[in-house]
């Protein structure tokens, strides 16, 4: 799914060559991580982080779309499969400068998936930044095909909404977007904490700022 998302994005916003860095591959929490990061022409920064357990019992795939050239929210997609469980989380975060981004198509795309099992409700420091609608689902192998459908429809609706979003100043947008990425470094989170423990705060900061989100605290 993530590769299909990259290809569809690249068709509209050409992706540059993958960034090279020694943090493109590392180990944390018993998993091997691989990171790919791109500049997307006319859009901003796009990254993919995949992780697999050493014994092959767990896999995680994440996609981050950080629109720095368009006044649209940051999108984070996470899919985790482990021990027969399937977890899907898709959230948009308010990095916007104006109000040109429309969510109606995304809401419509989610309607037919309302009966899918929800994930466990949890509270995080960034809850006030979440732009509805978001997805938090937890199922098993029997729900995986439906989760694929929801994931694809949500992403396609987000991509459609990007087309009508206004262009914006990349530097100003990057400053706004850094509120979320810097907040993760400062306050932590379920994915941030084990990485920080494994590779240290300095490397984690570089991983987030340069590869995953493409913004700096400046």
């Amino acid at each position: 799914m993530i590769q299909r998302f990259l290809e569809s994005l690249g068709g509209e916003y050409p992706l540059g060559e993958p960034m090279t860095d020694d943090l493109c591959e590392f180990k944390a929490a018993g998993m091997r991580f691989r990171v790919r990061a791109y500049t997307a022409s006319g859009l901003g920064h796009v990254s993919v982080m995949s992780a697999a357990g050493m014994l092959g019992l767990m896999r995680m795939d994440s996609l981050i779309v950080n629109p720095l050239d368009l006044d649209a929210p940051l999108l984070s997609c996470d899919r985790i499969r482990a021990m027969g469980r399937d977890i899907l989380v898709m959230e948009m975060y308010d990095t916007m400068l104006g109000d040109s981004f429309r969510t109606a198509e995304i809401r419509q795309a989610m309607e037919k998936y309302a009966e899918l099992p929800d994930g466990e409700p949890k509270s995080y420091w960034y809850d006030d930044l979440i732009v509805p609608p978001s997805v938090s689902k937890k199922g098993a192998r029997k729900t995986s095909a439906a989760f694929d459908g929801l994931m694809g429809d949500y992403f396609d609706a987000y991509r459609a909404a990007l087309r009508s979003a206004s262009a914006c100043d990349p530097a100003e947008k990057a400053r706004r977007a850094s509120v979320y990425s810097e907040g993760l470094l400062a306050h932590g989170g379920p994915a941030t904490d084990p990485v920080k423990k494994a590779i240290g705060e300095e490397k984690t900061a570089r991983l987030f700022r340069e590869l995953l989100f493409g913004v700096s605290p400046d």
Side-chain angles (χ1 to χ4, degrees), residues 70-108:
L70 296 176
D71 196 21
L74 184 152
L75 174 66
S76 175
C77 310
D78 294 299
R79 187 77 176 270
I80 303 170
R81 297 179 177 89
M83 307 298 289
R85 294 175 299 169
D86 194 345
I87 298 171
L88 172 62
V89 178
M90 302 184 76
E91 292 176 332
M92 296 180 290
Y93 299 98
D94 187 1
T95 60
M96 294 176 287
L97 304 173
D99 60 358
S100 65
F101 187 82
R102 298 290 179 263
T103 61
E105 288 188 49
I106 303 174
R107 294 179 185 277
Q108 291 177 335

Side-chain angles (χ1 to χ4, degrees), residues 130-151:
I130 294 176
V131 177
S134 59
V135 171
S136 178
K137 299 292 184 181
K138 183 178 181 180
R141 290 189 180 93
K142 64 181 180 181
T143 58
S144 288
F147 281 14
D148 286 346
L150 171 55
M151 192 176 183

Side-chain angles (χ1 to χ4, degrees), residues 38-193:
Y38 309 85
T39 296
S41 179
L43 175 60
H45 189 85
V46 178
S47 67
V48 173
M49 183 165 68
S50 301
M54 303 298 189
L55 300 177
L57 299 178
M58 180 177 180
R59 181 168 180 83
M60 179 190 77
D61 294 289
S62 299
L63 170 72
I64 296 170
V65 180
N66 198 2
L68 302 176
D69 299 323
L70 296 176
D71 196 21
L74 184 152
L75 174 66
S76 175
C77 310
D78 294 299
R79 187 77 176 270
I80 303 170
R81 297 179 177 89
M83 307 298 289
R85 294 175 299 169
D86 194 345
I87 298 171
L88 172 62
V89 178
M90 302 184 76
E91 292 176 332
M92 296 180 290
Y93 299 98
D94 187 1
T95 60
M96 294 176 287
L97 304 173
D99 60 358
S100 65
F101 187 82
R102 298 290 179 263
T103 61
E105 288 188 49
I106 303 174
R107 294 179 185 277
Q108 291 177 335
M110 291 179 61
E111 288 178 356
K112 63 181 178 181
Y113 300 102
E115 299 303 317
L116 290 176
D118 290 327
E120 300 169 5
K122 295 182 180 180
S123 180
Y124 296 104
W125 67 267
Y126 49 76
D127 287 349
D128 289 343
L129 292 176
I130 294 176
V131 177
S134 59
V135 171
S136 178
K137 299 292 184 181
K138 183 178 181 180
R141 290 189 180 93
K142 64 181 180 181
T143 58
S144 288
F147 281 14
D148 286 346
L150 171 55
M151 192 176 183
D153 287 351
Y154 188 105
F155 181 79
D156 288 344
Y158 172 82
R159 190 160 52 89
L162 288 176
R163 299 185 190 114
S164 59
S166 299
C168 63
D169 177 66
E172 187 178 358
K173 188 63 159 36
R175 285 192 291 271
R176 180 74 175 92
S178 69
V179 171
Y180 175 65
S181 50
E182 290 301 307
L184 287 175
L185 292 171
H187 303 294
T192 308
D193 296 338

